Amino acid sequence: MLGTPLADLLRPENFSEFFGQEHLVGENGVLRKLVEKDELVSIIFWGPPGCGKTTLAKIIANQTKSDFIHFSAVSAGIDQVKKVIVRAKEKKQLYGKQTILFIDEIHRFNKLQQDAFLPYVENGTITLIGATTENPSFEVIGPLLSRCRVFVLKMLNEEDLDKIVERGIKALNVKINSDARAFLIESANGDARIALNILEIAAKLGGTTLVLDDIEEALQKKTLLYDKAGEEHYNLISAIHKSMRGSDPDAAIYYVCRMLEAGEDPLYLARRMVRFASEDIGNADPGALELAVAVFDACGRVGMPECRIFLVQLAAYLALAPKDNSAYLAEAQAVADVKKFGNLPVPLKLRNPVTKLMKEVGYGKDYKYAHEFSPKELKGEVYLPDQLKGKKYYLPKNNQRTK
């Protein structure tokens, strides 16, 4: 259909076309069995954006030959819901046809609005399918939650996304090179809708074969260049950093004074040296950060010209301090993995099971409370997500505290 987004055009119509959520809709998936046996109950789908909640609701409606009505809790009001209830009653009485009422973002409905569904879910007038990205234990009222089966959907993995992207490539009749394809899947962060939207935009912007630049342009992630009007400013601050890193207090002091004489804001210099204290010295001398923060505060309180000496003292201290950039390297590697892997699920054992539902789905299971175990007993415990198991970010070098 003209103007229809690619994500909607490619929406699967049955379980065999659906990628992901194998635990629910695979050959032995519990949801698939309920639908095939015609034992469907009201449902709450809980999962991240773009994982297939809306698509599954439509597939269920197709498979059960039910009347499907789609509402968004963001825009729908209780009056609209009441009209649907009246229509559902008529369809059931006159034609024996069930109505599936799909409420996207059901957590946006308040308590009174959610209360309105109770009698009709209870007596079977409607089959309610609610979708939420929020924990239903907190966002859906207890009486409604108890009348629904909660299914937890997972973020789509790269293999699933790759299959979905392949369908998009065929539908658009384009080609895409391997680097562009990998970057597209990585950038989608487990969201099928985002992956197809990016692909569709890139196809409109690029040629018959999409390359990395096309995907970047579609994402609008091109890096902007700095304003080079103040090049000397950046040359001098770079010289201060490198002089302190190279343990040369004289050069560091010279460049600090040169910048101050040129009218540089002392707070700018102090702020950069606070960063240096953590980035280049870290836990090799934790006192460096304390002194840097104190100097920053003193410069703000006293101002020029008196604060000049504070900055000179700090520059000398930082230059002569032992160096360890382990925290800086750890941050860079951890951020790189966050961007690469996206929203990796927190291991269930680390999640607090504050509600019955959360406990039932495995929250807190097998967690060892560290105060009750010896270091030997805790050895081998894994706290990182499964895909990062064994990853080491913090590797201290010149740090007496860890030796």
Side-chain angles (χ1 to χ4, degrees):
M1 187 180 296
L2 187 64
T4 303
L6 181 64
D8 283 335
L9 285 174
L10 297 182
R11 196 181 294 278
E13 295 184 356
N14 53 61
F15 289 129
S16 62
E17 295 177 353
F18 187 90
F19 298 122
Q21 315 310 333
E22 283 291 315
H23 62 298
L24 297 180
V25 299
E27 288 186 8
N28 296 312
V30 59
L31 179 60
R32 186 168 186 163
K33 287 181 178 179
L34 285 174
V35 173
E36 290 175 347
K37 292 180 179 180
D38 199 22
E39 295 176 355
L40 186 65
V41 294
S42 288
I43 291 169
I44 300 292
F45 285 140
W46 172 24
C51 66
K53 298 186 290 294
T54 303
T55 298
L56 280 179
K58 290 187 175 182
I59 288 175
I60 291 169
N62 288 339
Q63 297 282 98
T64 58
K65 295 180 171 57
S66 299
D67 193 30
F68 183 79
I69 299 175
H70 183 174
F71 275 168
S72 170
V74 175
S75 56
I78 202 66
D79 290 340
Q80 291 172 278
V81 172
K82 288 179 178 177
K83 290 178 182 178
V84 169
I85 299 298
V86 171
R87 175 180 160 187
K89 284 181 179 179
E90 291 175 350
K91 290 239 177 182
K92 191 164 190 176
Q93 291 170 355
L94 296 174
Y95 309 108
K97 190 167 188 177
Q98 185 64 18
T99 296
I100 289 180
L101 177 58
F102 177 67
I103 305 292
D104 198 11
E105 299 188 88
I106 194 171
H107 58 276
R108 300 287 188 114
F109 273 150
N110 60 35
K111 182 180 182 299
L112 289 175
Q113 289 171 315
Q114 291 184 35
D115 273 332
F117 297 115
L118 288 175
Y120 309 109
V121 170
E122 183 74 37
N123 64 25
T125 300
I126 60 168
T127 299
L128 175 69
I129 299 182
T132 178
T133 56
E134 306 296 327
N135 188 330
S137 297
F138 304 128
E139 304 296 339
V140 179
I141 60 173
L144 184 57
L145 195 61
S146 68
R147 289 165 173 80
C148 297
R149 179 78 180 268
V150 176
F151 289 112
V152 181
L153 279 67
K154 302 175 182 178
M155 182 174 70
L156 296 178
N157 60 36
E158 291 189 359
E159 183 179 346
D160 294 328
L161 279 177
D162 189 63
K163 293 175 183 176
I164 292 167
V165 166
E166 179 63 25
R167 291 190 68 200
I169 291 169
K170 290 179 178 177
L172 293 168
N173 195 27
V174 295
K175 295 180 180 179
I176 183 170
N177 69 25
S178 58
D179 287 345
R181 185 169 182 149
F183 183 61
L184 167 61
I185 292 168
E186 178 186 319
S187 300
N189 195 20
D191 190 321
R193 189 182 303 105
I194 288 177
L196 292 175
N197 287 346
I198 294 170
L199 179 64
E200 185 174 20
I201 294 170
K204 291 176 180 177
L205 297 173
T208 55
T209 300
L210 303 180
V211 297
L212 185 59
D213 283 348
D214 297 321
I215 304 300
E216 286 182 334
E217 188 173 0
L219 278 164
Q220 296 185 352
K221 282 191 174 180
K222 291 280 189 180
T223 304
L224 297 176
L225 295 174
Y226 284 114
D227 176 11
K228 294 184 178 180
E231 183 182 346
E232 189 67 4
H233 164 88
Y234 294 105
N235 290 342
L236 289 171
I237 196 64
S238 176
I240 292 174
H241 272 254
K242 290 179 172 63
S243 298
M244 293 189 299
R245 187 176 294 141
S247 301
D248 186 339
D250 300 301
I253 290 169
Y254 165 77
Y255 290 118
V256 166
C257 291
R258 181 168 161 180
M259 291 193 78
L260 290 173
E261 282 296 304
E264 184 59 70
D265 180 1
L267 287 177
Y268 170 78
L269 291 174
R271 185 164 56 248
R272 295 301 296 258
M273 286 197 266
V274 168
R275 177 184 171 114
F276 180 91
S278 183
E279 179 179 319
D280 285 272
I281 297 172
N283 289 324
D285 179 3
L289 182 57
E290 294 178 13
L291 179 61
V293 171
V295 168
F296 181 85
D297 183 56
C299 287
R301 291 173 182 271
V302 177
M304 284 287 283
E306 289 86 353
C307 73
R308 185 194 306 264
I309 185 61
F310 308 158
L311 291 166
V312 167
Q313 176 192 352
L314 178 59
Y317 185 97
L318 297 179
L320 295 172
K323 306 298 189 297
D324 183 354
N325 69 342
S326 301
Y328 171 70
L329 295 176
E331 181 229 10
Q333 292 179 37
V335 168
D337 278 348
V338 169
K339 291 180 178 178
K340 178 179 179 180
F341 295 104
N343 301 319
L344 291 178
V346 173
L348 286 176
K349 72 176 182 180
L350 301 184
R351 306 186 194 185
N352 288 332
V354 297
T355 69
K356 182 181 178 182
L357 170 64
M358 294 162 76
K359 189 171 184 178
E360 287 175 353
V361 299
Y363 279 35
K365 185 180 179 182
D366 299 326
Y367 172 67
K368 291 183 178 180
Y369 186 57
H371 297 288
E372 296 177 353
F373 295 87
S374 67
K376 185 177 180 180
E377 291 172 313
L378 289 172
K379 190 174 182 180
E381 282 295 296
V382 177
Y383 299 97
L384 282 167
D386 290 344
Q387 286 177 263
L388 298 177
K389 185 177 179 181
K391 190 85 179 201
K392 298 291 183 184
Y393 295 112
Y394 187 62
L395 300 170
K397 303 171 184 175
N398 190 18
N399 185 352
Q400 298 300 321
R401 292 160 62 88
T402 60
K403 292 182 179 180

